Amino acid sequence: MTPSTLATAKLIARRLRTDGWRPVARTAAAKLAATAVDTWNLAEPHLPLRDTDIMDSRTRVPSSPAPYKAGNLRVGWVCTPPAAGSGGHTTFFRMVEEMEERGHQCTLFLYDPNDDDASRHEETIRRHWPALRAGVRSATYGMEGVDAIVASSWPTAHVVAGQAPDGVHLFYFIQDYEPYFYPRGFLYALAEESYRLGLTNVALGAMIGQVMQSELGEPPQAVVPFGCATDTYRLLEHAPGTNRSGVVYYAKKKVDRRGYLLAKLALEHFHALHPEQEIHIYGDTVTGWDIPVTNHGNLSPQDLNALYNRTIAGLAISFTNISLVPGELLAAGNVPVLNKAAFASGLLTDPDAVWAPATPQGLAMALADVVTAPGIDERAAAVAGRTRLGWADSRQSFARFLETSCAGVPLESPSGSPWGGRP
């Protein structure tokens, strides 16, 4: 019996003891159906937006020019329903919180192509993002009553371009070059089209601006700096006699750009080199690996910071824009090992980050070098002690750009170049 089969059998036995046969049978039937669909390719491909929401930049009728408005604004923020631990939503909501703190009225417009009911997601938002005060509505019921609307992803950019009320300032907060999420095809083309729909494009980090210039021939209208949650992720005092050990990895099994299969093979190679080093996995729970791992599931930021402080190194893979993980590891004194990728390495220039070839052996050897280097605790203190850009800078830059754009006032970027210039 394989480890995954044994784990499944134990889960079924536990469910039988607690729930009885009927719910277990329903669950088993659903899993069998899902397995059959996957095995025999019975599932139809699906769009992450309704076909009626697809916009074409060549035929879209632009809305009337939005009137300039200074002072307090009513801002709508369009996103998909968030799940606990979503980094993209967390970053987007940081921008919302900044605007709320500056006295603006904010509303979240949730877009779900399969369900118009946004109320069922409000509990998740309030529980996991308690600082957010914005109201919650469905984007498909209309987005009236706002002065500005901010899209957060390529499907929501299409929705905003097609459904925004007339005479509203439209923005697109871009956290990654989203065509790269897909192979060349229809979804790639739809994501690429989202940047041409007439919204004011605001990129998070200069790398996105450079890729947009290279791929589309046009830069975003503004670039705001990529930050790190240095107020949450920081060095903790260790109890006497305790030392850092082991490595940590954030698993996202269904997000190919985060390199799950590469990470799995790399960590298996690493375990062969250093079986004494515990491997901690958080995010998705992993099963069926040929090596022992410790699954933590989704962790709160505070618990995650504690895990970063217990471990020596972290494996942080991305094939598009860099994730939040490397900066958080560094702030906690943990050394991130990353795959060499021009997209990410141009953004993270921290001297303590370790870049390795995007191969299982290359990443495993880099992890091995980090965990066997002398002076682990001294290095952790030095790594955590470096000055890093916090999210306050990103939040304030975005808020100032949105405010001045709506007021019709030119604004110089922190670097001294105009926001609308080449990044």
Side-chain angles (χ1 to χ4, degrees):
M1 183 178 290
T2 67
S4 60
T5 305
L6 180 61
T8 301
K10 289 180 177 178
L11 175 63
I12 291 173
R14 187 164 60 250
R15 288 286 306 279
L16 285 172
R17 288 195 299 270
T18 58
D19 301 336
W21 276 105
R22 195 178 299 274
V24 171
R26 284 198 298 268
T27 301
K31 290 195 172 186
L32 283 173
T35 301
V37 165
D38 291 339
T39 303
W40 296 312
N41 297 316
L42 301 177
E44 281 289 315
H46 69 280
L47 288 168
L49 78 169
R50 299 176 186 181
D51 56 0
T52 53
D53 290 326
I54 295 174
M55 297 299 296
D56 186 327
S57 60
R58 296 165 299 177
T59 59
R60 174 179 176 259
V61 178
S63 63
S64 303
Y68 291 128
K69 181 177 179 181
N72 290 345
L73 299 167
R74 299 167 300 168
V75 185
W77 307 78
V78 187
C79 63
T80 56
S86 169
H89 285 90
T90 297
T91 301
F92 190 57
F93 292 163
R94 286 187 175 108
M95 308 302 135
V96 182
E97 291 170 11
E98 178 67 24
M99 290 296 286
E100 290 181 329
E101 291 175 11
R102 296 164 84 101
H104 305 291
Q105 178 185 330
C106 294
T107 303
L108 296 182
F109 292 105
L110 302 187
Y111 178 71
D112 183 342
N114 303 309
D115 192 351
D116 293 329
D117 181 16
S119 62
R120 64 193 183 91
H121 302 291
E122 187 163 1
E123 181 183 355
T124 299
I125 294 169
R126 303 304 178 204
R127 178 186 303 171
H128 297 285
W129 293 274
L132 207 63
R133 302 190 302 271
V136 179
R137 291 164 51 185
S138 172
T140 55
Y141 287 156
M143 294 178 279
E144 288 76 22
V146 295
D147 305 301
I149 297 178
V150 185
S152 61
S153 61
W154 76 258
T156 62
H158 280 262
V159 172
V160 169
Q163 297 188 22
D166 198 45
V168 172
H169 297 271
L170 305 181
F171 300 86
Y172 182 4
F173 182 65
I174 303 167
Q175 299 188 50
D176 211 330
Y177 189 72
E178 295 188 4
Y180 287 169
F181 292 5
Y182 311 99
R184 292 275 183 170
F186 184 41
L187 294 182
Y188 185 106
L190 287 178
E192 192 175 61
E193 185 72 355
S194 69
Y195 306 124
R196 305 188 183 103
L197 294 176
L199 284 66
T200 298
N201 294 323
V202 184
L204 178 64
M207 278 304 299
I208 298 174
Q210 294 169 14
V211 173
M212 290 178 67
Q213 173 67 53
S214 174
E215 293 283 358
L216 307 174
E218 288 292 334
Q221 283 77 25
V223 176
V224 298
F226 196 104
C228 176
T230 52
D231 53 341
T232 300
Y233 297 94
R234 62 191 187 281
L235 195 68
L236 301 176
E237 288 189 13
H238 287 272
T242 62
N243 298 304
R244 288 176 180 257
S245 65
V247 300
V248 61
Y249 166 62
Y250 177 41
K252 295 288 288 183
K253 292 189 283 190
K254 295 184 178 180
V255 183
D256 192 47
R257 67 184 184 277
R258 300 305 188 207
Y260 172 77
L261 292 176
L262 172 58
K264 178 177 183 290
L265 293 174
L267 290 170
E268 288 174 349
H269 279 279
F270 171 74
H271 178 72
L273 295 171
H274 288 284
E276 79 284 358
Q277 295 288 342
E278 187 174 4
I279 296 172
H280 300 268
I281 309 287
Y282 72 98
D284 291 344
T285 298
V286 306
T287 58
W289 286 30
D290 295 329
I291 60 173
V293 299
T294 301
N295 278 298
H296 295 271
N298 285 318
L299 295 173
S300 69
Q302 292 72 25
D303 289 339
L304 187 54
N305 183 56
L307 179 60
Y308 288 165
N309 271 267
R310 286 169 47 199
T311 47
I312 303 170
L315 186 59
I317 298 174
S318 179
F319 288 93
T320 59
N321 200 20
I322 201 164
S323 73
L324 303 179
V325 171
E328 295 169 354
L329 287 165
L330 288 162
N334 192 305
V335 178
V337 172
L338 307 97
N339 57 304
K340 287 182 180 177
F343 206 151
S345 59
L347 183 61
L348 182 66
T349 58
D350 195 296
D352 301 305
V354 175
W355 298 92
T359 64
Q361 296 87 350
L363 291 168
M365 290 175 64
L367 283 170
D369 289 342
V370 174
V371 301
T372 56
I376 289 172
D377 288 335
E378 292 79 6
R379 179 184 59 194
V383 169
R386 293 190 189 277
T387 301
R388 294 185 171 86
L389 197 67
W391 280 113
D393 302 270
S394 308
R395 290 165 47 138
Q396 292 165 12
S397 295
F398 181 80
R400 286 197 303 269
F401 179 76
L402 197 152
E403 290 168 342
T404 54
S405 297
C406 290
V409 178
L411 177 67
E412 292 288 313
S413 73
S415 62
S417 61
W419 283 107
R422 295 277 192 264

